[in-house]
Amino acid sequence: MTKFMKKEKVIIIGAGFSGLAAASVLAKEGFAVTVLEKNSTPGGRARKFAENGFTFDMGPSWYWMPDVFEKFFALFNKTPQDYYHLLRLDPSYRFYFGKDDIVDVPATFNDVVEIFEKEEAGAGVALNKFLVEAEYKYKIAMSKFVYKPGLSMFEFAQPEMLASVFRLDMFSSFEKHLKQYFKSPRLRQMLEFPILFLGGTAKNTPALYSLMNYGDIKLGTWYPVGGMYSVVEGMVELAASLGVKFVYNSPVEKLEVNKGKINYVTAAAERYEANYILATADYEHVEQHLLPDGYKSYSKKYWDSRVLSPSSLIFFLGIDTKLEGIAHHTLFFDQDLGKHSEAIYENPGWPENPSLYFSCTSRTDSCVAPEGMENLFVLIPVAPGLDDTEAIREKYFQIILERFKHLTGQDISKNIVFKRSYAHADFEKDYNAFKGNAYGLANTLLQTAFLKPKMKSKKVKNLFYAGQLTAPGPGVPPALISGEMAARLILKESKSGK
Ligand SMILES: Cc1cc2nc3c(=O)[nH]c(=O)nc-3n(C[C@H](O)[C@H](O)[C@H](O)COP(=O)(O)OP(=O)(O)OC[C@H]3O[C@@H](n4cnc5c(N)ncnc54)[C@H](O)[C@@H]3O)c2cc1C
C-alpha cells in the first residue's frame, strides 16, 4: 500500500492475545485496524481483576517459550523488556506427591538431573537424552511448521520435515515415548503435566509435544512482574502506538455477507465497514452464531465431534496471612492423575479426587496482594460441557480446603478475606466459549496442524480466523503465533488483489 492509497480496513473480533498480535502486524503493514471486543478490557482469557487490594490474572500464569515473545516484539524492533520486566522463577515449580512428599523443580538444569537421578537410577542420563530429542523437535517445529497456517498438508511436505518425520514422533503417543525413558510414574507425571494442562492426555497426544518439556525445563519458567496481564498491557501499548483502534463493550452480533464477502460488521448497534475480517473469538461461536446459514465452513456435527481442551474450575482467593509450603506454582499430584484425566477426556464428569494447581504470584511479587497476605489462584482442570452449579463449585471448594490442610498442615478457611469462583458458565458468558472451554481445541493427532479448523474461511472470501481453536493451538505463545500468521494471510490476500 502506498501512502496515497486509501487504507484497507480490517475488523478484528476479540482483543485476546491472538487478536492483539494480529492487530499490530496488520497496522504496521498499513491497514486501518479496528478491534471490537465484547468485554470492557483487553486480554480475553488473560484478563485480570483487582479486588480488596488483591490482583488476579484470570487465566494464564505460566510464561513459557520466552523466545516466541522475543520474536514477536522483534517484528517491531522492540523487546519484551521495553514493556515488562521478566523474572526467572527458581524453583520453577513444586510438586506435592503426598504429605511431606515434595519435589521442587529447580531452574538450573544440572539440579533437575540430580533430582531425576534421586528418583530413579539412570533417570538423569535418560532426561538428558529425552531433552536432546525434545530440543530437536522444538527447533524443527519452530522453524518449519509452527509458523505455518496449516491450510494444506503440502505446507508440511518439505524435504527436511519428511526426512525427520519419525524423529519428530508425530505418530507415537507421548505416554509411550515417556515409558521408553522413565520407569518412575512420578517422573512421568512431572513431564506429562504441561500437556495435561494445555489440552491433552499423554495417551492421545503425539510424542512430538515433548517439545513442551524442552520449553519448560531448558528455556525456563518466567514471571512478568505485575502478572501475565503486564504482557497484555505491553501488547495493547504497542498496537495503539501503531494506530490500532480499540472499541470495548462491543460484542459483534452480525456479519453481513454479500456475494461471498463480508462488507459490514455490526457490534453494539454500530455498523463497521470492512475489507477483511479476522475472527479471534472462539471459532465455533463465530461460525455457528454470527455467520448466516450457507456461509459456515463446518457443521454443528463437526463441532460436536471435536476434542476440546479442558475447562477449569477456578477459585480466586485473598488470604490474610502468609502461606507456608507452597511455591509460586504448586501442583498437587497426590491423587491418581490418570483417573482425573479419564474424567476429562474418556468419561467426562466431575473428577472424584482431582489434582490441583495453585498459583500464588504474591510469593514473588509484592504488588499483587496487601502486605503480609497472599493472592491465591486455585485451578482444577475439568471436562468441558459439564453441569456447573453453585453447589458443585462449593463441594470442590471444601475438597480444596481439606486437601490443603492435610498436605501442608494449614487450615486457611478462617483466613479467606476474598473469594470468587469461575467455571464453565463464566467462560461461556464472558468469552462465548464453546461448551465453556478454557483452552480451546486439544492438540490430538487428528487435530494438529492442517487437521485443525482452517485459518481461512472456505465459504467467505475475506474472513480469516486466529486463536486457540485454530493453528497452532492452545497457549499464549501459540496465540501470538496464530495472530501473526492470520495477519500474514490477510496481507497476502490483499497483495494478490483478490
Ligand atoms: C484458566 C486458564 C489458564 C491458562 N493458563 C495458561 C498458561 O499458564 N500459559 C499459557 O501459555 N496459556 C494458558 N492458557 C491459555 C491461554 O490463555 C489462551 O490460549 C490464550 O490466551 C487464548 O487467546 P485467544 O486470543 O485465542 O483467545 P481469547 O483470549 O479467548 O480472546 C478472544 C476474545 O474474543 C472476545 N469475544 C468473544 N466473542 C466476541 C464477540 N461476539 N464480539 C467481540 N469479541 C468477542 C472475547 O471476549 C475475548 O476477549 C490458559 C487459559 C485459561 C483460561
Side-chain angles (χ1 to χ4, degrees):
M1 251 178 278
T2 71
K3 66 179 175 178
F4 302 109
M5 286 168 82
K6 205 169 157 229
K7 284 185 168 190
E8 288 192 292
K9 293 181 180 145
V10 182
I11 296 289
I12 297 183
I13 306 173
F17 272 115
S18 59
L20 294 174
S24 287
V25 174
L26 288 164
K28 181 172 173 256
E29 294 292 345
F31 290 87
V33 181
T34 302
V35 180
L36 301 176
E37 168 54 51
K38 163 186 187 297
N39 291 315
S40 58
T41 56
R45 283 165 167 90
R47 287 180 305 153
K48 74 164 184 187
F49 74 90
E51 202 83 57
N52 299 5
F54 299 97
T55 302
F56 297 95
D57 280 314
M58 293 179 71
S61 49
W62 301 79
Y63 188 103
W64 273 341
M65 303 163 75
D67 51 327
V68 172
F69 297 84
E70 278 158 22
K71 207 165 160 186
F72 174 76
F73 282 107
L75 296 172
F76 310 92
N77 293 322
K78 300 280 185 197
T79 66
Q81 289 72 21
D82 290 329
Y83 297 96
Y84 50 91
H85 178 60
L86 281 173
L87 297 175
R88 181 150 183 189
L89 297 177
D90 192 4
S92 303
Y93 39 91
R94 165 170 291 188
F95 288 101
Y96 268 85
F97 289 107
K99 196 169 162 53
D100 303 322
D101 187 0
I102 296 170
V103 178
D104 278 345
V105 176
T108 309
F109 180 60
N110 286 344
D111 297 341
V112 185
V113 169
E114 242 175 64
I115 284 171
F116 269 61
E117 203 56 47
K118 238 190 255 168
E119 285 282 330
E120 177 185 321
V125 177
L127 179 66
N128 245 315
K129 286 190 188 150
F130 175 80
L131 288 179
V132 166
E133 290 308 303
E135 178 176 4
Y136 173 80
K137 289 169 191 161
Y138 189 90
K139 290 188 172 156
I140 293 281
M142 285 300 161
S143 60
K144 302 287 173 204
F145 63 88
V146 171
Y147 283 85
K148 295 266 187 275
L151 296 183
S152 142
M153 68 183 290
F154 295 109
E155 288 168 21
F156 302 89
Q158 304 168 37
E160 196 172 337
M161 278 206 58
L162 293 175
S164 54
V165 77
F166 291 107
R167 194 166 170 202
L168 287 171
D169 282 325
M170 287 189 180
F171 304 112
S172 56
S173 81
F174 191 68
E175 183 183 53
K176 209 169 134 203
H177 185 60
L178 279 178
K179 282 187 177 159
Q180 287 165 356
Y181 289 87
F182 310 101
K183 286 195 198 74
S184 153
R186 285 153 68 105
L187 291 181
R188 295 204 299 258
Q189 279 183 12
M190 284 165 67
L191 294 166
E192 269 172 28
F193 93 88
I195 57 156
L196 177 73
F197 275 81
L198 281 179
T201 59
K203 222 184 279 175
N204 72 8
T205 301
L208 166 71
Y209 287 98
S210 66
L211 62 87
M212 300 263 303
N213 300 113
Y214 170 75
D216 156 18
I217 297 174
K218 282 290 181 86
L219 302 182
T221 300
W222 298 80
Y223 173 70
V225 174
M228 287 294 280
Y229 197 73
S230 311
V231 185
V232 172
E233 285 172 328
M235 290 187 63
V236 170
E237 188 186 331
L238 169 69
S241 74
L242 295 162
V244 173
K245 191 175 156 207
F246 288 92
V247 189
Y248 298 111
N249 300 309
S250 287
V252 170
E253 289 136 22
K254 193 170 157 197
L255 302 171
E256 290 177 39
V257 186
N258 188 2
K259 295 187 186 142
K261 271 187 144 182
I262 297 170
N263 304 102
Y264 291 97
V265 174
T266 306
E270 287 282 333
R271 217 161 150 247
Y272 297 84
E273 200 184 356
N275 299 102
Y276 297 98
I277 313 297
L278 174 57
T280 73
D282 277 32
Y283 204 132
E284 184 272 351
H285 162 68
V286 178
E287 275 247 305
Q288 297 294 311
H289 304 278
L290 304 183
L291 273 177
D293 284 343
Y295 292 104
K296 304 174 201 295
S297 302
Y298 303 99
S299 64
K300 183 175 177 306
K301 201 167 146 209
Y302 169 88
W303 285 111
D304 285 339
S305 66
R306 293 306 87 191
V307 182
L308 288 170
S309 291
S311 184
S312 296
L313 169 59
I314 301 168
F315 290 96
F316 304 99
L317 305 174
I319 309 288
D320 73 357
T321 184
K322 279 289 177 198
L323 295 172
E324 297 192 352
I326 58 164
H328 185 112
H329 296 293
T330 308
L331 296 144
F332 293 92
F333 281 7
D334 52 308
Q335 302 293 323
D336 188 333
L337 191 58
K339 285 224 172 92
H340 186 165
S341 303
E342 253 176 64
I344 299 175
Y345 292 101
E346 282 156 37
N347 300 306
W350 285 94
E352 220 169 281
N353 296 305
S355 297
L356 311 173
Y357 163 56
F358 280 33
S359 163
C360 189
T361 56
S362 51
R363 308 297 292 175
T364 311
D365 189 343
S366 60
C367 309
V368 291
E371 208 185 327
M373 303 195 191
E374 310 270 31
N375 67 344
L376 195 57
F377 166 105
V378 182
L379 180 145
I380 303 177
V382 289
L386 297 183
D387 204 16
D388 169 21
T389 64
E390 261 319 304
I392 292 175
R393 293 185 186 196
E394 198 46 37
K395 173 183 155 191
Y396 281 89
F397 185 61
Q398 294 308 323
I399 292 177
I400 290 165
L401 293 183
E402 273 310 308
R403 287 266 297 287
F404 189 70
K405 189 167 143 195
H406 167 67
L407 292 168
T408 71
Q410 295 160 94
D411 177 2
I412 52 167
S413 56
K414 303 258 166 1
N415 298 98
I416 297 168
V417 290
F418 174 77
K419 175 182 166 193
R420 177 178 173 189
S421 67
Y422 199 94
H424 305 74
D426 302 286
F427 283 108
E428 280 170 23
K429 180 169 82 46
D430 286 353
Y431 310 117
N432 292 314
F434 181 42
K435 296 185 183 171
N437 81 80
Y439 314 97
L441 216 58
N443 278 338
T444 62
L445 178 59
L446 293 176
Q447 296 185 162
T448 289
F450 57 90
L451 298 173
K452 289 209 187 272
K454 296 278 181 274
M455 297 186 89
K456 184 172 179 352
S457 164
K458 297 179 193 178
K459 303 264 175 86
V460 183
K461 278 183 221 147
N462 58 345
L463 173 61
F464 296 80
Y465 292 91
Q468 60 175 4
L469 277 94
T470 179
V476 175
L480 295 192
I481 294 169
S482 189
E484 183 190 336
M485 284 193 303
R488 301 225 176 276
L489 288 178
I490 291 176
L491 185 62
K492 193 169 158 204
E493 189 91 351
S494 159
K495 280 189 176 152
S496 77
K498 279 187 205 160

